[in-house]
Amino acid sequence: QQKVQQSPESLIVPEGGMASLNCTSSDRNVDYFWWYRQHSGKSPKMLMSIFSNGEKEEGRFTVHLNKASLHTSLHIRDSQPSDSALYLCAASLIANSGTYQRFGTGTKLQVVP
Amino acid sequence: GGIITQTPKFLIGQEGQKLTLKCQQNFNHDTMYWYRQDSGKGLRLIYYSITENDLQKGDLSEGYDASREKKSSFSLTVTSAQKNEMAVFLCASSMWFYAEQFFGPGTRLTVL
């Protein structure tokens, strides 16, 4: 079963529009969320992370976290064609040996001119 | 800055064959990871290592072995390659658990 659920699976937004991506963990042993971006044929690169309730903004990107529901969302305003990529959410899981990041299946974002 | 290198870039094997993938990092990071990514999908954790000579199983460890003999290197062995195993294998490292992960360029595995 997929313990880190991302929605939607794919998303098309017009250039200049707002893209909203969602991620929820069904495992409660989570205390940190990450968003990575992976352009086609490339490796994932970390975009933003969040561990406190509320909102964090970096340029055109805003991340929200609700720790009670273990739900995070990523919002991209003024979307550009260069934002087209696979967006991966990861949750830091607390295990006996430490923690590790469990990834979701991703949201494929396409920004069309 | 630093870099993660993975060898080989492309690996072609026969069904049932034992295959080894290698990863080196010069970040001096303690923690290293192996992930499998099927086409266009998310990452599934195979093994991770907190420090030299440590090994921890991830969600997808069955059918794989790993080895961390030095802080800078982490190897993954596919014990018996299967046709449904064709995927990209990504190595990553991080300074500690709550730090961002840096990824290598990947090894693309094809099983004939």
Side-chain angles (χ1 to χ4, degrees), chain A residues 37-54:
Chain A
R37 181 166 71 179
Q38 185 178 25
H39 285 111
S40 183
K42 303 289 186 186
S43 299
K45 282 190 165 55
M46 199 271 287
L47 205 54
M48 292 180 75
S49 63
I50 189 164
F51 65 93
S52 298
N53 262 331

Side-chain angles (χ1 to χ4, degrees), chain A residues 5-108:
Chain A
Q5 300 271 9
Q6 287 188 248
S7 65
E9 201 170 301
S10 62
L11 181 62
I12 299 174
V13 300
E15 186 173 355
M18 171 78 87
S20 295
L21 292 68
N22 298 292
C23 173
T24 303
S25 170
S26 59
D27 193 320
R28 296 216 67 85
N29 289 326
V30 165
D31 60 354
Y32 223 104
F33 283 91
W34 307 80
W35 285 94
Y36 287 79
R37 181 166 71 179
Q38 185 178 25
H39 285 111
S40 183
K42 303 289 186 186
S43 299
K45 282 190 165 55
M46 199 271 287
L47 205 54
M48 292 180 75
S49 63
I50 189 164
F51 65 93
S52 298
N53 262 331
E55 176 181 301
K56 184 175 171 182
E57 183 177 330
E58 289 180 7
R60 297 184 293 111
F61 299 86
T62 303
V63 173
H64 292 268
L65 175 62
N66 180 326
K67 289 191 94 166
S69 60
L70 294 176
H71 177 263
T72 179
S73 56
L74 172 69
H75 304 272
I76 308 172
R77 63 176 170 79
D78 189 25
S79 297
Q80 301 298 309
S82 58
D83 294 327
S84 299
L86 181 68
Y87 287 78
L88 296 162
C89 171
S92 281
L93 286 159
I94 304 161
N96 290 337
S97 57
T99 70
Y100 64 92
Q101 292 179 25
R102 177 174 279 144
F103 284 80
T105 51
T107 292
K108 190 168 183 179

Side-chain angles (χ1 to χ4, degrees), chain B residues 50-109:
Chain B
I50 299 165
T51 187
E52 189 177 325
N53 293 318
D54 174 75
L55 284 176
Q56 305 292 336
K57 291 183 179 182
D59 296 325
L60 197 68
S61 60
E62 194 168 326
Y64 301 94
D65 284 328
S67 169
R68 180 104 183 265
E69 289 162 359
K70 289 194 301 185
K71 186 175 180 179
S72 62
S73 67
F74 195 26
S75 299
L76 179 73
T77 298
V78 181
T79 55
S80 176
Q82 304 297 314
K83 284 203 172 173
N84 63 3
E85 218 149 17
M86 291 192 285
V88 174
F89 290 81
L90 290 164
C91 175
S93 72
S94 64
M95 197 183 309
W96 63 303
F97 298 132
Y98 289 106
E100 79 176 273
Q101 293 187 21
F102 292 87
F103 286 82
T107 291
R108 183 175 293 276
L109 173 65

Side-chain angles (χ1 to χ4, degrees), chain B residues 1 5 17 19 25 30 39 62 69 82 88-89 92 94 99 111:
Chain B
T5 54
Q17 193 177 359
L19 302 165
Q25 53 99 357
D30 285 316
S39 181
E62 194 168 326
E69 289 162 359
Q82 304 297 314
V88 174
F89 290 81
S94 64
V111 182

